[in-house]
Amino acid sequence: MTDEKPTQIFIMGKAYDVPPGVTIMDAMEYAGYRFVRGAGCRSGFCGACGTVYRKEGDYRFEFALACQEMVQDGMHLTQLPFTPAPRAAYELPSLDSSENVLLQYYPEIARCVSCNTCTKACPQDLEVMEYVQAALRGDLAEVAALSFDCIQCGLCAMRCPADIKHYHMAQLARRLLSVSASPVPEHLTERLKAMASGACGEELDELVGLDVDALKERYSAREIEPAAEGAA
Amino acid sequence: MNAITYFPGCSLKDSAASFERSTVAVMERLGHPLEELPRWTCCGTVAALATDDLMHLVAAVRNFERAQKIEAEEIVAPCAMCFNTLRQVAMRVNVDVEARDKINAFMNEEEDYEGGVAVRHLLEILRDRVGWDAIEEKVTEPLFDLPVSAYYGCTLVRPSGVGIDDPAAPAVLGDLLEALGATVVKTPFDTECCGSYQVVDRRDLAVDRSLRILRAAITRGAAVIATSCPLCQYNLEEARRGALAEGMLVEATAPVVAYFTELMAAAMGLDEELLPADLRAAVVRSRETTPEGV
């Protein structure tokens, strides 16, 4: 710990001094908590660590990703392990996107009273209520555009007085749009065909046979985006 | 001339798309172009007003706040249901300061709504601002001899004080149809309920009510029933479809159900693509039977 004055936070009501300038997640771990659920990529991308807190003197709930938000003096915290929000089961290719499929699979969107509580809860600052409204009028493109940066943390669904499952519904909208409006990617079609006929079988068998340490090594050394030919 | 701030409502963007297309086209032709209210949300629907709480007024007030943001003094809805909901809420929150303050405090992410945005139905604009004479001037293909029933249903005219005309003997829709050259067919069911949302839980009830409306129109020789509400339109069309399938009605006499703006588009000779096939056929049929020189 540095010489800087520690930050005082409250975890489930109990005061802790933690180093200043660390994230909520790091602060809670510093205080001795261990996350089994409610933590994931630790990079603000997976949506596993959606969290709520209050600040002293403020009547409002604040919402954030625990791995991204820095602690502040007087923060009252806990960590949410999970948002129970059932996702509808559907066979994507068999859906008819000329009908309002979103309303069929998530009929509770019709209960939206435009209270905007979902929007206030979104740690990604998305216009969540606006995309629910777009869903009501069957505007898949608008739902997809407004929800594109959703990380599926579920805080919207947790807060909704109408029990809407916003993020699952928006995911269905994006999927429908990709099926109905996007061109079929040639390389993916080719790849799937190749895999179906047994390509990569040997490589896969080899991976299955590796122990955990060897897998970790391979994973760390993997090439995420192959450099384009001729690129410096 | 300033554009009219227009509130489409969800149905006009989805199941009642032809209502919107014809509305936009006829208002453009009449020289009163519509400008869609930015970031509008669902009106809340009349059913929501059945609960005595402020939460169900939030949707409407949010729309008023968005109208206030663009300095619009009124919003105009073609859908009778949206109109009714929005006007009922406006009549309350424009005067009930306590309710308005509470809603404003709740919607703390928006500017405070100060009150004062008026809600009008498109038929009011046609009657009071455009005028029947101006509409008649734009009619290039009058609907001569087309017998049309002016079906009001509930939300255009009730409750009194909210509705746009005499709740028991309304004239506005009939006057419009006459300006288009149509023959207005009056029935005792012009202001009867179609069954409304009951279609969700009590389909039989909605079908029964809608069938009575259809039969009253058939008995009096109507070729078309003009509507102003996507839910009325749905109930009447569903009842019609079912009755045709079961042989309770016959195609030759069962009236076509159409939005009043579609009839306007037909009379103004606007793009035929705007007209549903059944309405186009009914209009063509009536013209074929009209004697020369009429």
Side-chain angles (χ1 to χ4, degrees):
Chain A
M1 203 157 164
T2 64
D3 295 338
E4 276 182 88
K5 190 175 162 292
T7 299
Q8 189 180 54
I9 60 171
F10 298 85
I11 302 174
M12 290 186 266
K14 190 169 185 285
Y16 293 88
D17 283 345
V18 298
V22 300
T23 64
I24 291 175
M25 184 166 283
D26 288 345
M28 287 185 73
E29 286 176 332
Y30 179 87
Y33 287 87
R34 183 169 158 254
F35 295 115
V36 179
R37 298 298 303 270
C41 72
R42 295 170 184 263
S43 308
F45 205 74
C46 80
C49 69
T51 196
V52 296
Y53 61 90
R54 285 190 201 273
K55 288 182 291 193
E56 268 170 23
D58 192 340
Y59 69 93
R60 288 171 301 185
F61 248 138
E62 301 275 351
F63 304 87
L65 297 176
C67 75
Q68 297 295 296
E69 188 78 5
M70 301 299 167
V71 286
Q72 298 166 39
D73 259 323
M75 244 184 194
H76 286 254
L77 301 166
T78 186
Q79 186 57 3
L80 308 169
F82 180 66
T83 301
R87 182 165 45 198
Y90 43 80
E91 287 274 351
L92 203 54
S94 67
L95 298 181
D96 175 7
S97 56
S98 67
E99 301 285 321
N100 196 333
V101 178
L102 304 176
L103 206 45
Q104 278 171 36
Y105 282 89
Y106 294 98
E108 59 277 9
I109 61 174
R111 303 180 72 224
C112 177
V113 294
S114 311
C115 72
N116 219 23
T117 309
C118 50
T119 303
K120 293 175 186 169
C122 182
Q124 294 287 86
D125 290 333
L126 302 181
E127 295 280 8
V128 186
M129 187 269 281
E130 306 273 343
Y131 82 59
V132 171
Q133 290 293 324
L136 278 172
R137 45 190 192 251
D139 191 342
L140 290 181
E142 184 75 358
V143 181
L146 291 176
S147 70
F148 188 78
D149 286 332
C150 173
I151 51 171
Q152 313 279 115
C153 73
L155 287 172
C156 48
M158 192 87 97
R159 289 287 284 169
C160 179
D163 285 318
I164 294 165
K165 287 80 180 171
H166 317 61
Y167 61 120
H168 289 329
M169 181 280 291
Q171 186 180 52
L172 172 55
R174 294 193 300 275
R175 286 172 171 171
L176 280 167
L177 193 71
S178 70
V179 168
S180 66
S182 309
V184 178
E186 210 175 301
H187 61 280
L188 179 63
T189 314
E190 290 298 314
R191 192 67 175 152
L192 287 172
K193 213 185 290 173
M195 288 174 80
S197 60
C200 306
E202 277 173 38
E203 292 90 333
L204 195 61
D205 288 343
E206 188 203 339
L207 287 178
V208 171
L210 290 178
D211 64 23
V212 171
D213 287 335
L215 270 177
K216 277 183 180 169
E217 201 175 302
R218 288 276 193 101
Y219 184 78
S220 305
R222 78 200 187 283
E223 197 176 20
I224 294 174
E225 195 68 51
E229 262 178 61
Chain B
M1 181 167 296
N2 287 337
I4 292 171
T5 306
Y6 155 65
F7 179 91
C10 305
S11 295
L12 270 74
K13 293 291 180 187
D14 194 6
S15 56
S18 66
F19 194 3
E20 170 164 66
R21 280 198 300 274
S22 51
T23 296
V24 169
V26 299
M27 292 310 285
E28 186 78 40
R29 175 61 60 93
L30 288 168
H32 292 262
L34 303 177
E35 207 160 277
E36 196 167 315
L37 176 68
R39 298 173 71 222
W40 59 272
T41 71
C42 167
C43 66
T45 76
V46 166
L49 303 182
T51 5
D52 183 20
D53 59 25
L54 295 179
M55 196 48 144
H56 286 94
L57 311 188
V58 168
V61 176
R62 197 178 292 283
N63 286 301
F64 303 156
E65 192 277 332
R66 284 169 184 181
Q68 176 182 279
K69 200 169 271 163
I70 58 162
E71 293 174 9
E73 287 166 2
E74 66 173 8
I75 51 179
V76 175
C79 165
M81 174 79 79
C82 294
F83 153 76
N84 195 295
T85 310
L86 293 170
R87 181 173 275 181
Q88 288 203 53
V89 179
M91 288 174 74
R92 168 134 186 223
V93 299
N94 284 352
V95 294
D96 183 347
V97 178
E98 201 182 330
R100 194 169 73 219
D101 284 351
K102 212 159 204 174
I103 292 168
N104 279 332
F106 178 79
M107 296 198 309
N108 57 1
E109 74 281 18
E110 309 271 12
E111 295 286 312
D112 279 358
Y113 172 56
E114 312 281 352
V117 172
V119 177
R120 298 207 165 83
H121 189 266
L122 182 63
L123 282 167
E124 287 179 294
I125 302 296
L126 294 173
R127 178 188 63 194
D128 306 332
R129 205 165 303 164
V130 182
W132 306 138
D133 291 345
I135 292 171
E136 216 172 318
E137 272 173 33
K138 298 285 182 194
V139 170
T140 54
E141 294 170 44
L143 306 174
F144 283 144
D145 279 359
L146 182 69
V148 184
S149 153
Y151 177 67
Y152 295 86
C154 309
T155 49
L156 265 189
V157 291
R158 284 190 294 274
S160 67
V162 173
I164 63 170
D165 208 343
D166 183 331
V172 56
L173 191 49
D175 290 347
L176 169 68
L177 294 169
E178 276 173 7
L180 305 179
T183 307
V184 177
V185 177
K186 278 197 159 67
T187 92
F189 290 85
D190 287 349
T191 60
E192 287 287 313
C193 177
C194 67
S196 190
Y197 284 113
Q198 297 294 342
V199 71
V200 180
D201 291 330
R202 294 279 316 272
R203 193 179 178 79
D204 54 327
L205 192 148
V207 167
D208 179 56
R209 293 203 65 96
S210 293
L211 265 183
R212 284 192 224 185
I213 295 160
L214 284 163
R215 287 209 171 101
I218 293 168
T219 311
R220 289 158 184 84
V224 179
I225 298 181
T227 63
S228 63
C229 167
L231 187 51
C232 298
Q233 175 85 16
Y234 175 84
N235 280 344
L236 291 171
E237 281 196 321
E238 280 297 292
R240 180 185 190 272
R241 195 170 302 141
L244 284 173
E246 287 170 30
M248 292 159 74
L249 296 181
V250 289
E251 195 75 53
T253 56
V256 172
V257 188
Y259 295 109
F260 70 93
T261 49
E262 293 175 331
L263 286 157
M264 292 177 77
M268 292 179 183
L270 291 171
D271 192 355
E272 288 217 337
E273 306 256 309
L274 287 172
L275 306 186
D278 55 355
L279 177 62
R280 200 181 311 149
V283 171
V284 168
R285 254 198 317 276
S286 83
R287 288 203 175 112
E288 280 166 358
T289 56
T290 303
E292 286 291 318
V294 172

